[in-house]
mmCIF file of all heavy atoms in Angstrom:
data_model
loop_
_atom_site.group_PDB
_atom_site.id
_atom_site.type_symbol
_atom_site.label_atom_id
_atom_site.label_comp_id
_atom_site.label_asym_id
_atom_site.label_seq_id
_atom_site.Cartn_x
_atom_site.Cartn_y
_atom_site.Cartn_z
ATOM 1 N N LEU A 258 -11.666 -4.386 -0.790
ATOM 2 C CA LEU A 258 -10.897 -3.158 -0.567
ATOM 3 C C LEU A 258 -10.268 -2.664 -1.867
ATOM 4 O O LEU A 258 -9.715 -3.441 -2.642
ATOM 5 C CB LEU A 258 -9.788 -3.400 0.454
ATOM 6 C CG LEU A 258 -10.150 -3.330 1.948
ATOM 7 C CD1 LEU A 258 -8.938 -3.736 2.774
ATOM 8 C CD2 LEU A 258 -10.614 -1.937 2.332
ATOM 9 N N THR A 259 -10.347 -1.360 -2.092
ATOM 10 C CA THR A 259 -9.701 -0.766 -3.258
ATOM 11 C C THR A 259 -8.590 0.178 -2.807
ATOM 12 O O THR A 259 -8.595 0.659 -1.673
ATOM 13 C CB THR A 259 -10.714 0.024 -4.116
ATOM 14 O OG1 THR A 259 -11.190 1.147 -3.362
ATOM 15 C CG2 THR A 259 -11.883 -0.849 -4.536
ATOM 16 N N TRP A 260 -7.671 0.447 -3.722
ATOM 17 C CA TRP A 260 -6.552 1.332 -3.383
ATOM 18 C C TRP A 260 -7.014 2.763 -3.123
ATOM 19 O O TRP A 260 -6.335 3.519 -2.431
ATOM 20 C CB TRP A 260 -5.495 1.290 -4.486
ATOM 21 C CG TRP A 260 -4.737 0.002 -4.483
ATOM 22 C CD1 TRP A 260 -4.756 -0.976 -5.442
ATOM 23 C CD2 TRP A 260 -3.853 -0.466 -3.453
ATOM 24 N NE1 TRP A 260 -3.955 -2.029 -5.069
ATOM 25 C CE2 TRP A 260 -3.379 -1.739 -3.857
ATOM 26 C CE3 TRP A 260 -3.429 0.046 -2.230
ATOM 27 C CZ2 TRP A 260 -2.499 -2.486 -3.085
ATOM 28 C CZ3 TRP A 260 -2.556 -0.698 -1.454
ATOM 29 C CH2 TRP A 260 -2.092 -1.942 -1.874
ATOM 30 N N ASN A 261 -8.173 3.126 -3.641
ATOM 31 C CA ASN A 261 -8.713 4.466 -3.363
ATOM 32 C C ASN A 261 -9.016 4.647 -1.877
ATOM 33 O O ASN A 261 -9.052 5.774 -1.382
ATOM 34 C CB ASN A 261 -10.007 4.692 -4.161
ATOM 35 C CG ASN A 261 -9.729 4.967 -5.620
ATOM 36 O OD1 ASN A 261 -8.630 5.379 -5.975
ATOM 37 N ND2 ASN A 261 -10.709 4.726 -6.468
ATOM 38 N N ASN A 262 -9.226 3.529 -1.196
ATOM 39 C CA ASN A 262 -9.578 3.595 0.219
ATOM 40 C C ASN A 262 -8.427 3.186 1.132
ATOM 41 O O ASN A 262 -8.634 2.915 2.313
ATOM 42 C CB ASN A 262 -10.808 2.721 0.495
ATOM 43 C CG ASN A 262 -12.043 3.295 -0.156
ATOM 44 O OD1 ASN A 262 -12.284 4.495 -0.090
ATOM 45 N ND2 ASN A 262 -12.827 2.462 -0.805
ATOM 46 N N ILE A 263 -7.224 3.138 0.574
ATOM 47 C CA ILE A 263 -6.023 2.912 1.373
ATOM 48 C C ILE A 263 -5.198 4.192 1.335
ATOM 49 O O ILE A 263 -4.796 4.653 0.275
ATOM 50 C CB ILE A 263 -5.176 1.745 0.817
ATOM 51 C CG1 ILE A 263 -6.007 0.458 0.734
ATOM 52 C CG2 ILE A 263 -3.926 1.547 1.672
ATOM 53 C CD1 ILE A 263 -6.431 -0.100 2.055
ATOM 54 N N ASP A 264 -4.975 4.792 2.488
ATOM 55 C CA ASP A 264 -4.184 6.021 2.575
ATOM 56 C C ASP A 264 -2.877 5.695 3.298
ATOM 57 O O ASP A 264 -2.819 5.639 4.526
ATOM 58 C CB ASP A 264 -4.967 7.088 3.344
ATOM 59 C CG ASP A 264 -4.294 8.456 3.280
ATOM 60 O OD1 ASP A 264 -3.066 8.502 3.032
ATOM 61 O OD2 ASP A 264 -4.990 9.466 3.492
ATOM 62 N N THR A 269 -4.027 4.626 7.087
ATOM 63 C CA THR A 269 -5.392 4.208 7.390
ATOM 64 C C THR A 269 -5.974 3.447 6.214
ATOM 65 O O THR A 269 -5.504 3.557 5.076
ATOM 66 C CB THR A 269 -6.314 5.408 7.687
ATOM 67 O OG1 THR A 269 -6.346 6.263 6.528
ATOM 68 C CG2 THR A 269 -5.852 6.183 8.908
ATOM 69 N N LEU A 270 -7.016 2.682 6.491
ATOM 70 C CA LEU A 270 -7.830 2.067 5.444
ATOM 71 C C LEU A 270 -9.282 2.377 5.758
ATOM 72 O O LEU A 270 -9.656 2.570 6.912
ATOM 73 C CB LEU A 270 -7.586 0.559 5.333
ATOM 74 C CG LEU A 270 -7.983 -0.377 6.475
ATOM 75 C CD1 LEU A 270 -9.474 -0.674 6.519
ATOM 76 C CD2 LEU A 270 -7.226 -1.696 6.358
ATOM 77 N N LYS A 271 -10.106 2.446 4.719
ATOM 78 C CA LYS A 271 -11.525 2.740 4.912
ATOM 79 C C LYS A 271 -12.367 1.732 4.150
ATOM 80 O O LYS A 271 -12.127 1.475 2.972
ATOM 81 C CB LYS A 271 -11.852 4.165 4.440
ATOM 82 C CG LYS A 271 -13.326 4.537 4.657
ATOM 83 C CD LYS A 271 -13.576 6.018 4.439
ATOM 84 C CE LYS A 271 -13.457 6.419 2.995
ATOM 85 N NZ LYS A 271 -13.880 7.816 2.760
ATOM 86 N N ILE A 273 -16.101 1.084 2.789
ATOM 87 C CA ILE A 273 -17.308 1.878 2.527
ATOM 88 C C ILE A 273 -18.542 1.013 2.278
ATOM 89 O O ILE A 273 -19.645 1.510 2.260
ATOM 90 C CB ILE A 273 -17.097 2.824 1.326
ATOM 91 C CG1 ILE A 273 -16.747 2.025 0.064
ATOM 92 C CG2 ILE A 273 -16.017 3.850 1.625
ATOM 93 C CD1 ILE A 273 -16.648 2.872 -1.188
#
Side-chain angles (χ1 to χ4, degrees):
L258 277 174
T259 65
W260 287 113
N261 284 338
N262 292 316
I263 303 294
D264 189 338
T269 60
L270 66 78
K271 182 169 70 172
I273 59 175

